[in-house]
């Protein structure tokens, strides 16, 4: 019996994975073909990007500050506190900036996408759109995907920048001059790290949108179904972000 | 209207099941232009499913569905869209797009197609809203409308594409008597304009007011097809139960009590 159960779960997982991949392909294919749904895209960019700025800044600020605090404690015995800027930068740009801001966005935007699409499904608005001749993948999924692919790397960059500033606030307390702080950055970072710092959030953004849309469009069972699905989106996309982060890091290390 | 055998919508031997439950079994239905039909049946029997199957929103497990002789089962999404142009639907809750104004809802298809100029689209939207008596609601959002108004806007939206057939999914459910009367009058008005209506409902007075023929669905099958007179004369127990649930069910209930 437990074997049967595990088998069913695995089959469900694999078929869902397949559905997400198919949906992604269709959504990506729609990016450059007409109609472009410009208005929809702009409103999504506003909802996904602009409205998330505050929470991403807050995340960046405190993460940067705590990173600086921890690094300083570690560096002090070696009289190496001047390297604090580089340490904050390298961890933020490569790992914490992309991952933490993506997790925030998964909670904030992924859940909203699933709730919105799910509500449209249970109130038959999606059916109504299809009857009116709309390609719903293009209108509802592609527009969100485009907005996310633009917004997510930018949000991560904002988080990194704010984190560096936050780190300096702490470092200043340890008599580290702005110049020293900045000089340590290139000692730790290389150009490839910057690419990693925008490629990761772009990929996590793709994960969030596609999972949120797939789960939202397959909602059934009324308001309760919407609630269950929202929870699923947040959990599944968060887990996928953390797991895929490991493998993407592996790939980047391979090409170093 | 010229009547060739090709014209009309036909469901033949359609089977459909979802989640291990059979909703329709060998289901047949014909909808001829000019004959306004109502499909009757209790809640959850699969009435909405029938409408969605005809529109190609759901795919049957087996059987064929043809619109004017063309099998929609063989169509891709683009051909399906062309076939759907003859048909519009007023969904049960109206299914208005709540991120758009009433005017944008009504003009949705025209805006999507993008063939007409803005002024022309607005004129058409206004005309359709005028038909349902809601010109003044043009700039409101669906959340600001009552249930009855939503359904009327949904009717206006369904008219924007100038369809031959209009489907109504329980158009009077949940409305007050005035709302019900308004919807009935609108449906009769559409029929006078030459549209064919297909309604699914369990509201008998409205069914009698707006339909020529009736189909009765029970337990995944069509068990009756005919006129009002034929239906009232029929001695099917399911129909009798539907007409006056109290007497028959009480009778059945009493019998069951005796058996145990
Ligand atoms: N996704 C689904 N999963 C399981 N059952 C479903 C699903 N969609 C519809 N059903 C079932 O199909 C039946 C028919 O639904 P519907 O056509 O909406 O009925 P009606 O419109 O006559 O009230 C219902 O009993 C419903 O429970
Ligand atoms: Mg229904």
């Amino acid at each position: 019996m437990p074997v049967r159960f595990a088998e069913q779960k695995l089959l469900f997982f694999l078929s869902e994975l397949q559905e997400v991949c198919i949906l992604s392909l269709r959504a990506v294919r729609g990016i450059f073909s007409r109609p472009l749904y410009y208005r929809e895209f702009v409103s999504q960019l506003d909802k996904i990007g602009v409205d998330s700025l505050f929470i991403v800044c807050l995340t960046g600020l405190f993460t940067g500050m705590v990173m600086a605090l921890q690094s300083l404690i570690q560096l002090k015995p070696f009289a190496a506190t001047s390297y604090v800027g580089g340490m904050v930068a390298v961890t933020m740009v490569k790992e914490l900036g992309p991952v933490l801001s993506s997790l925030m966005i998964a909670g904030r935007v992924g859940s909203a996408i699933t709730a919105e699409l799910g509500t449209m499904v249970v109130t038959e608005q999606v059916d109504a759109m299809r009857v009116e001749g709309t390609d719903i993948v293009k209108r509802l999924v592609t527009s969100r995907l485009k907005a996310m692919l633009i917004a997510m790397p930018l949000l991560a960059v904002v988080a990194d920048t704010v984190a560096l500033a936050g780190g300096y606030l702490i470092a200043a307390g340890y008599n580290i001059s702005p110049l020293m702080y900045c000089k340590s950055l290139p000692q730790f970072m290389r150009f490839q790290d910057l690419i990693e710092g925008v490629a990761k959030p772009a990929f996590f953004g793709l994960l969030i949108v596609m999972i949120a849309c797939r789960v939202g469009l397959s909602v059934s069972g009324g308001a309760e179904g919407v609630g269950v699905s929202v929870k699923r989106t947040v959990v599944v996309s968060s887990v996928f972000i953390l797991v895929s982060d490991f493998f993407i890091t592996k790939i980047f290390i391979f090409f170093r | 209207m010229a009547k060739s055998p090709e014209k009309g919508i036909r469901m033949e031997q359609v089977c459909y099941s979802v989640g291990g439950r059979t909703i329709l079994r060998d289901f047949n239905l014909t909808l001829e232009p000019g004959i306004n039909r109502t499909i009757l049946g209790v809640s959850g029997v699969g009435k909405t499913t029938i409408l969605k199957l005809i529109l190609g929103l759901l795919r049957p497990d087996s059987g064929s569905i043809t619109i004017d002789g063309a099998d929609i089962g063989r169509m891709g999404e683009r051909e399906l869209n062309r076939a759907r142009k003859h048909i519009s639907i007023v969904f049960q809750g109206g299914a208005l797009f709540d991120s758009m104004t009433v005017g944008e809802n009504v003009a949705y298809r025209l805006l999507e197609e993008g063939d007409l100029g803005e002024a022309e689209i607005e004129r058409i939207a206004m005309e359709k809203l005028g038909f349902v008596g809601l010109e003044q609601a043009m700039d409101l959002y669906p959340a600001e409308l009552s249930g009855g108004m939503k359904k009327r806007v949904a009717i206006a939206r369904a008219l924007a594409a100038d369809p031959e057939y209009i489907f109504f999914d329980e158009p009077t459910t949940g409305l007050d008597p005035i709302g019900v009367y308004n919807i009935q009058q609108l449906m009769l008005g559409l029929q006078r304009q030459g549209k064919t209506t297909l309604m699914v409902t369990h509201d008998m007075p409205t069914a009698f007011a707006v339909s020529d023929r009736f189909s009765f669905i029970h337990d995944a099958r069509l068990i009756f097809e005919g006129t009002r007179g034929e239906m009232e004369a029929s001695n099917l127990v399911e129909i009798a139960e539907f007409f006056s649930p109290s007497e028959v069910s009480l009778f059945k209930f009493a019998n069951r009590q005796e058996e145990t």
Side-chain angles (χ1 to χ4, degrees):
Chain A
M1 201 56 193
V3 177
R4 274 284 306 276
F5 181 73
E7 190 183 316
Q8 271 176 7
K9 283 274 176 200
L10 186 69
L11 280 179
F12 176 75
F13 174 78
L14 289 177
S15 76
E16 280 299 299
L17 196 65
Q18 183 185 352
E19 292 296 328
V20 170
C21 291
I22 293 171
L23 188 66
S24 309
L25 285 179
R26 287 181 60 193
V28 170
R29 217 171 40 201
I31 287 184
F32 299 107
S33 63
R34 289 184 161 275
L36 294 172
Y37 293 116
Y38 183 72
R39 234 182 73 178
E40 184 94 1
F41 164 71
V42 171
S43 96
Q44 289 303 327
L45 198 59
D46 190 49
K47 272 193 225 171
I48 295 175
V50 181
D51 292 354
S52 304
L53 264 177
F54 179 71
I55 194 158
V56 164
C57 286
L58 206 65
T59 311
L61 179 68
F62 281 92
T63 316
M65 289 192 334
V66 82
M67 281 305 303
L69 215 51
Q70 295 280 22
S71 310
L72 283 166
I73 289 175
Q74 298 294 318
L75 294 170
K76 203 152 187 203
F78 305 101
T81 48
S82 59
Y83 292 129
V84 63
M87 287 199 62
V88 171
V90 80
T91 38
M92 278 313 293
V93 170
K94 283 165 60 171
E95 288 300 334
L96 295 181
V99 171
L100 289 183
S101 47
S102 299
L103 289 177
M104 286 312 215
I105 299 299
R108 198 184 169 284
V109 176
S111 59
I113 291 176
T114 299
E116 193 179 347
L117 296 189
T119 306
M120 288 183 73
V121 169
V122 300
T123 56
E124 297 180 314
Q125 291 178 50
V126 171
D127 284 330
M129 275 192 178
R130 286 178 63 193
V131 172
E132 303 280 338
T134 301
D135 178 349
I136 55 160
V137 172
K138 203 150 168 204
R139 181 175 184 115
L140 300 176
V141 183
T142 302
S143 56
R144 286 171 171 78
L145 177 65
K146 279 196 279 196
M148 184 67 103
L149 286 180
I150 291 173
M152 199 60 239
L154 290 177
L155 287 173
V157 169
V158 169
D160 297 342
T161 315
V162 175
L164 275 179
Y168 178 70
L169 287 182
I170 301 299
Y174 285 75
N175 292 325
I176 293 168
S177 73
L179 190 67
M180 249 155 78
Y181 190 76
C182 291
K183 256 174 92 176
S184 70
L185 299 187
Q187 290 175 302
F188 278 74
M189 304 260 294
R190 11 161 127 195
F191 183 66
Q192 195 197 326
D193 298 339
L194 296 179
I195 295 179
E196 192 172 341
V198 290
K200 272 185 176 177
F203 182 75
F204 298 153
L206 175 87
L207 277 183
I208 295 168
V209 171
M210 294 324 300
I211 291 171
C213 287
R214 164 63 195 162
V215 174
L217 289 176
S218 57
V219 163
S220 66
E224 196 188 339
V226 175
V228 173
S229 301
V230 168
K231 191 177 69 185
R232 178 175 301 157
T233 290
V234 175
V235 173
V236 174
S237 53
S238 303
V239 169
F240 266 80
I241 287 168
L242 294 174
V243 172
S244 65
D245 180 47
F246 174 79
F247 291 102
I248 298 175
T249 306
K250 272 271 194 201
I251 293 173
F252 272 100
I253 289 174
F254 181 78
F255 285 108
R256 244 177 127 85
Chain B
M1 204 171 281
K3 249 188 112 179
S4 75
E6 287 288 282
K7 269 283 184 191
I9 296 171
R10 212 172 291 267
M11 293 175 83
E12 275 165 359
Q13 300 295 108
V14 169
C15 296
Y16 181 78
S17 54
V18 59
R21 217 192 109 200
T22 305
I23 310 290
L24 298 175
R25 190 180 304 123
D26 298 331
F27 187 82
N28 296 304
L29 181 79
T30 308
L31 189 66
E32 299 101 344
I35 295 186
N36 304 300
R37 183 175 293 279
T38 290
I39 301 175
L40 295 161
V42 294
S43 284
V45 77
K47 303 185 296 296
T48 303
T49 306
I50 295 171
L51 300 182
K52 288 188 179 172
L53 282 166
I54 297 175
L55 286 163
L57 296 171
L58 300 171
R59 297 263 178 184
D61 301 334
S62 63
S64 76
I65 300 167
T66 56
I67 299 176
D68 293 344
D71 188 345
I72 65 164
R74 302 218 175 92
M75 293 180 186
E77 197 68 19
R78 190 167 305 171
E79 289 169 288
L80 203 52
N81 272 337
R82 210 169 305 137
R84 275 185 198 137
K85 277 201 169 179
H86 303 289
I87 311 173
S88 273
I89 177 167
V90 177
F91 283 99
Q92 186 167 353
L96 300 180
F97 307 129
D98 35 39
S99 59
M100 302 175 202
T101 65
V102 165
E104 286 167 338
N105 264 282
V106 175
Y108 182 85
R109 182 188 277 266
L110 303 173
L111 290 169
E112 278 281 289
E113 286 171 353
D115 299 333
L116 301 176
E118 214 161 285
E120 178 70 0
I121 290 179
E122 193 174 330
R123 191 190 63 74
I124 295 174
M126 207 54 162
E127 180 195 316
K128 306 295 175 190
L129 276 174
F131 177 74
V132 299
L134 284 174
E135 294 108 318
Q136 75 286 357
M138 187 89 170
D139 295 317
L140 298 180
Y141 280 88
E144 300 169 279
L145 305 179
S146 72
M149 287 161 91
K150 277 184 195 163
K151 289 202 183 171
R152 277 149 68 196
V153 173
I155 293 175
R157 183 176 67 186
L159 289 178
D162 231 349
E164 275 172 71
Y165 303 94
I166 306 179
F167 295 175
F168 290 85
D169 189 353
E170 306 199 14
T172 55
T173 303
L175 298 187
D176 58 36
I178 296 170
V180 172
Y181 177 79
N182 280 337
I183 299 286
Q184 289 176 1
Q185 292 307 309
L186 286 174
M187 289 179 75
L188 292 172
L190 290 172
Q191 292 170 3
R192 278 195 296 274
Q193 290 180 13
K195 315 272 184 211
T196 304
T197 61
L198 171 63
M199 173 168 69
V200 307
T201 190
H202 42 70
D203 169 8
M204 300 299 283
T206 301
F208 288 147
V210 303
S211 317
D212 310 317
R213 295 188 78 85
F214 302 85
S215 300
F216 196 96
I217 166 171
H218 178 79
D219 196 17
R221 283 175 193 281
L222 194 70
I223 58 166
F224 171 85
E225 196 285 319
T227 61
R228 174 177 183 172
E230 287 164 357
M231 185 160 63
E232 282 169 341
S234 122
N235 50 12
L236 284 168
V237 65
E238 289 84 2
I239 294 182
E241 194 170 347
F242 196 73
F243 270 102
S244 48
S246 52
E247 293 164 31
V248 184
S249 335
L250 271 179
F251 177 66
K252 260 177 141 180
F253 185 70
N255 275 354
R256 211 171 296 145
Q257 295 274 300
E258 274 167 29
E259 280 165 22
T260 52

